[in-house]
Amino acid sequence: MHDVAAAAGVSRGTVNRVLNGGYVSATARTAIEAAIAKVGYVPNTAARNLVRRRSQAIGFLAMEPHSLLLEDPNIGAIMLGANEVLSVADHQMVSLVVDSYRDTERVGRYLRGGFVDGAIIVSARAHDPITRLITQLRLPATFVGHPPDLHHSIPFVGIDNVGSARTITQRLLQTGRRRIGMIAAALDRDSGADRLTGFRQALGDRFDPSLVAEVPLYDYSNGVKGMRVLLDREPLLDGVFAASDAVAAGALEVLREAGRTVPGDVGIVGFDNSSWAMRTQPPLSTVHQPAREIGQNAAELVLNQVRGTEPAARSILLDTSVVWRDSA
Amino acid sequence: MHDVAAAAGVSRGTVNRVLNGGYVSATARTAIEAAIAKVGYVPNTAARNLVRRRSQAIGFLAMEPHSLLLEDPNIGAIMLGANEVLSVADHQMVSLVVDSYRDTERVGRYLRGGFVDGAIIVSARAHDPITRLITQLRLPATFVGHPPDLHHSIPFVGIDNVGSARTITQRLLQTGRRRIGMIAAALDRDSGADRLTGFRQALGDRFDPSLVAEVPLYDYSNGVKGMRVLLDREPLLDGVFAASDAVAAGALEVLREAGRTVPGDVGIVGFDNSSWAMRTQPPLSTVHQPAREIGQNAAELVLNQVRGTEPAARSILLDTSVVWRDSA
DNA sequence: GGTTGATGTGTGAACGTGCACACATTGGCA
DNA sequence: TGCCAATGTGTGCACGTTCACACATCAACC
């Protein structure tokens, strides 16, 4: 910047004003712009960050075990949705994978170090050290699917998992299924726990705890495991609510091996409306989750905090819709 | 830091030495450590970066159209592999999505701004502006699958696409297939073009250009399109090399609709050994691509450049293996 | 007892910006 | 003429570190 000022025959202050706005004469402006081009000047962001206490970057924290990150179809869409909004607002999205303890510590340093002005946190668990750190730092942040222990301190954006699960289970009932089981995954997250709650609400008196198979993750192989458990406990099962499409796909495979037809003998529904849903045989009835919009809303919520403009609603619940295909 | 020094009754220099190494007496060290804890001191990275001209961060640039980023099973694994190595080396991986022109410009500023010490670039195309920028900045970088126009300036890590495609096509020949077609995808990338080359080499004199269906992307829907073209051109087709597992999955669907049995009437092979391969009916024979190792090697190559220790080999080609399942 | 080397400590000058302030020049108006 | 507001420009300091250098102390050695 000093060189630019010298080349244009003005002071640093004037150069700064053409870059950041202020009173500048036309002659000075053209001279400086020429000098910038000639010198090949690019602002040094580290210096700018130092004095402005801003980085124009927002962290996207994916707190997933590695394996799941690869499988989860939502996380990518959420990420892209967030990037769209941040991009328009001229902020850089930087996504960080948090898995091991080593990651936690380093990401913590990264967040404290002023590399980002805010953070979007996907699938945090209860009592996560990163979560604690963010509240402690008062870093502008938004959760995607809030963790159970932080209901009010940080805004979140998500869907009504309880209601959606209730709705799709009810339609399973309406199509005449009577012995309905659930493969419940990821009960340590709000999404997993809420889907089970919705399932229970829909069944009411008919709810039978023995027809719930609990599995740790939302993936295909856990669908396989869960379905084996259910079939073992209740051979007469005629309906299944799988906590995700991937789980449903695994379940379908087991049903096929067991000689059950779908939707003839057993009706099955999933959750997510991911690419799985359209490619299983038969295609899955499922809950459409607006992943891209979730990302967009999360980004807006963070930006509002960064800018200091308080949003009207602190948290956002987006609508889902049921996609009715052939599996039930 | 000044506060810490005051609280411990020493100078900034001594505080700096306990943080970054140097001669410090035991008494001073304990006093400073106590002061750090009391004051709640965390180093300001912007200031540190400013003077050190280092950020301890490596950019991971995914230059994919949004849709593909979600579908590609390799990219996630490459990312995680890179993160492992960078994590151990105490560097932060920040991944940036580059899709629109707006992204390009902003990411360019990000790279120039000193936010990262190096970059890993996945699936760059020829004459990409970001690629040009990186060479221009002399930013330490590594390509995953080098773009055609930059053979020597920046190291890359990849697989031998030509050889792998040749090998798997040969085994298609060895199992007695005679009218073999290919669904060639993404010919604007080295990977896509090389796989076609390998296919041609394996067939030698028997190569028939009319049995190559060209499609733009490595995904399921392009597999559907490509297979329709092939069946239309050559109803007697008895072998197909699909440029990726997703493409093969789409092709399988079309074959099934057309009443062809696999592997009875038609043998089909894919590429990637992704999650698709194990879940199609029948499971796919395919080329295993060591995506995680690719990421690890890319990270090491970048770190070598950042540290100034020149690597023995500038670029790395990793071995693939053929996974023989039921589809051919 | 002076020289040497190892060990320990403090100080000032950068790094490249942004910002507050002081100052200069104009034109309009009473 | 004098005053004020609008427009333009330059200067010094601050942001929070790192690093080179100067300096202090102490033990060991010829």
Side-chain angles (χ1 to χ4, degrees):
Chain A
M1 189 155 128
H2 183 264
D3 297 346
V4 173
V10 295
S11 74
R12 285 170 18 246
T14 309
V15 176
N16 182 28
R17 273 182 287 271
V18 8
L19 293 174
N20 298 318
Y23 293 125
V24 186
S25 67
T27 56
R29 163 163 278 125
T30 53
I32 289 170
E33 277 164 357
I36 286 177
K38 201 175 90 184
V39 177
Y41 167 78
V42 282
N44 179 311
T45 328
R48 172 175 287 170
N49 291 351
L50 178 59
V51 55
R52 274 202 188 156
R53 285 115 182 277
R54 275 293 181 86
S55 66
Q56 294 278 102
I58 301 289
F60 186 97
L61 274 60
M63 324 208 33
E64 296 276 356
H66 281 173
S67 56
L68 193 57
L69 184 64
L70 298 179
E71 296 288 335
D72 193 327
N74 287 314
I75 216 159
I78 293 171
M79 203 162 97
L80 295 180
N83 192 45
E84 282 171 30
V85 170
L86 294 174
S87 182
V88 169
D90 202 42
H91 279 244
Q92 178 61 54
M93 184 182 87
V94 303
S95 53
L96 315 176
V97 178
V98 188
D99 181 22
S100 63
Y101 173 73
R102 195 197 299 274
D103 285 338
T104 303
E105 201 192 7
R106 188 168 28 71
V107 167
R109 280 211 314 275
Y110 193 83
L111 295 178
R112 280 193 310 245
F115 279 94
V116 295
D117 297 338
I120 296 170
I121 305 129
V122 178
S123 58
R125 315 295 185 85
H127 308 295
D128 200 298
I130 291 277
T131 311
R132 198 165 43 227
L133 177 66
I134 284 173
T135 20
Q136 199 177 309
L137 289 175
R138 298 167 172 279
L139 189 71
T142 299
F143 284 110
V144 171
H146 62 108
D149 57 341
L150 276 169
H151 286 262
H152 299 296
S153 62
I154 298 180
F156 66 90
V157 37
I159 56 168
D160 178 7
N161 279 292
V162 177
S164 306
R166 198 172 49 222
T167 304
I168 199 159
T169 307
Q170 279 164 350
R171 295 198 57 172
L172 219 44
L173 282 166
Q174 285 161 12
T175 54
R177 312 293 175 177
R178 285 300 169 258
R179 291 297 286 164
I180 302 175
M182 173 171 182
I183 306 177
L187 292 174
D188 56 345
R189 313 234 179 132
D190 63 317
S191 62
D194 288 355
R195 287 172 201 181
L196 176 55
T197 304
F199 175 75
R200 186 181 311 160
Q201 287 180 2
L203 290 186
D205 293 343
R206 269 180 263 178
F207 176 72
D208 178 352
S210 76
L211 292 189
V212 174
E214 297 181 8
V215 295
L217 298 177
Y218 285 123
D219 66 2
Y220 181 93
S221 60
N222 276 291
V224 171
K225 280 183 214 155
M227 194 65 231
R228 292 217 173 103
V229 171
L230 281 186
L231 272 188
D232 197 47
R233 292 201 197 141
E234 174 56 274
L236 297 176
L237 206 73
D238 64 357
V240 178
F241 170 34
S244 83
D245 291 343
V247 167
L252 270 177
E253 179 65 23
V254 173
L255 286 171
R256 213 171 45 79
E257 282 170 8
R260 306 290 208 285
T261 64
V262 174
D265 299 335
V266 182
I268 181 166
V269 294
F271 208 107
D272 287 346
N273 194 25
S274 65
S275 58
W276 284 104
M278 284 160 286
R279 287 167 198 169
T280 53
Q281 210 44 275
L284 290 173
S285 296
T286 186
V287 174
H288 174 72
Q289 180 165 191
R292 188 180 213 96
E293 286 78 8
I294 290 177
Q296 293 169 339
N297 280 280
E300 273 157 17
L301 249 44
V302 172
L303 286 177
N304 280 342
Q305 294 174 66
V306 169
R307 291 172 182 145
T309 60
E310 200 61 20
R314 292 275 298 168
S315 293
I316 297 176
L317 275 189
L318 294 173
D319 286 336
T320 57
S321 57
V322 170
V323 182
W324 221 238
R325 295 203 182 85
D326 301 338
S327 69
Chain B
M1 189 156 129
H2 183 264
D3 296 347
V4 172
V10 295
S11 74
R12 284 168 19 247
T14 309
V15 176
N16 183 28
R17 273 183 286 272
V18 8
L19 292 175
N20 299 317
Y23 293 125
V24 185
S25 67
T27 55
R29 163 163 276 124
T30 53
I32 289 170
E33 278 164 357
I36 286 177
K38 200 175 90 186
V39 177
Y41 167 78
V42 282
N44 179 311
T45 329
R48 171 175 289 170
N49 291 352
L50 179 60
V51 54
R52 275 200 187 158
R53 283 110 184 278
R54 277 294 183 83
S55 66
Q56 294 278 100
I58 301 289
F60 186 97
L61 274 59
M63 324 207 33
E64 295 276 358
H66 282 171
S67 57
L68 193 58
L69 183 65
L70 299 178
E71 294 290 332
D72 193 326
N74 287 313
I75 214 158
I78 293 171
M79 202 163 98
L80 295 179
N83 193 44
E84 282 171 30
V85 170
L86 293 175
S87 182
V88 170
D90 202 39
H91 279 245
Q92 180 60 53
M93 184 182 86
V94 304
S95 51
L96 314 176
V97 178
V98 188
D99 180 21
S100 64
Y101 172 71
R102 195 197 298 275
D103 285 339
T104 304
E105 201 193 6
R106 188 168 28 72
V107 167
R109 281 211 313 277
Y110 193 83
L111 294 178
R112 280 194 310 248
F115 279 95
V116 295
D117 297 338
I120 296 170
I121 304 130
V122 178
S123 59
R125 315 293 184 86
H127 308 296
D128 200 300
I130 290 277
T131 311
R132 198 165 44 227
L133 177 66
I134 285 173
T135 19
Q136 199 178 308
L137 289 174
R138 298 169 172 278
L139 188 71
T142 299
F143 283 110
V144 171
H146 61 110
D149 59 338
L150 275 168
H151 285 264
H152 300 298
S153 63
I154 298 181
F156 66 91
V157 37
I159 57 167
D160 179 6
N161 279 291
V162 177
S164 306
R166 199 171 51 222
T167 305
I168 199 159
T169 307
Q170 279 164 351
R171 295 197 57 170
L172 221 42
L173 281 166
Q174 286 162 11
T175 54
R177 313 293 174 177
R178 284 301 168 259
R179 291 296 286 163
I180 302 175
M182 172 170 182
I183 305 176
L187 291 174
D188 57 344
R189 313 231 179 134
D190 62 315
S191 61
D194 288 356
R195 286 172 203 182
L196 175 55
T197 304
F199 175 74
R200 185 181 309 160
Q201 288 181 1
L203 290 186
D205 294 343
R206 267 181 264 178
F207 176 73
D208 178 351
S210 76
L211 293 189
V212 174
E214 297 181 8
V215 294
L217 298 176
Y218 286 123
D219 65 2
Y220 182 92
S221 60
N222 277 291
V224 170
K225 282 182 212 157
M227 195 64 230
R228 292 215 174 104
V229 171
L230 282 186
L231 272 187
D232 197 47
R233 290 198 197 146
E234 175 55 276
L236 297 177
L237 205 73
D238 65 355
V240 178
F241 170 34
S244 81
D245 290 343
V247 168
L252 270 178
E253 181 64 23
V254 172
L255 286 171
R256 213 171 46 80
E257 282 169 8
R260 305 290 207 285
T261 63
V262 174
D265 300 334
V266 182
I268 181 165
V269 295
F271 207 106
D272 286 346
N273 194 26
S274 64
S275 58
W276 285 104
M278 283 159 287
R279 287 164 197 171
T280 54
Q281 208 47 278
L284 290 172
S285 296
T286 187
V287 174
H288 174 73
Q289 181 166 190
R292 190 181 212 95
E293 286 77 8
I294 289 176
Q296 293 169 338
N297 280 279
E300 272 157 17
L301 247 44
V302 172
L303 286 176
N304 280 341
Q305 294 175 67
V306 169
R307 291 171 182 146
T309 59
E310 200 60 20
R314 291 275 297 167
S315 293
I316 297 175
L317 276 188
L318 294 173
D319 286 337
T320 59
S321 57
V322 171
V323 182
W324 222 238
R325 295 202 181 86
D326 301 336
S327 70

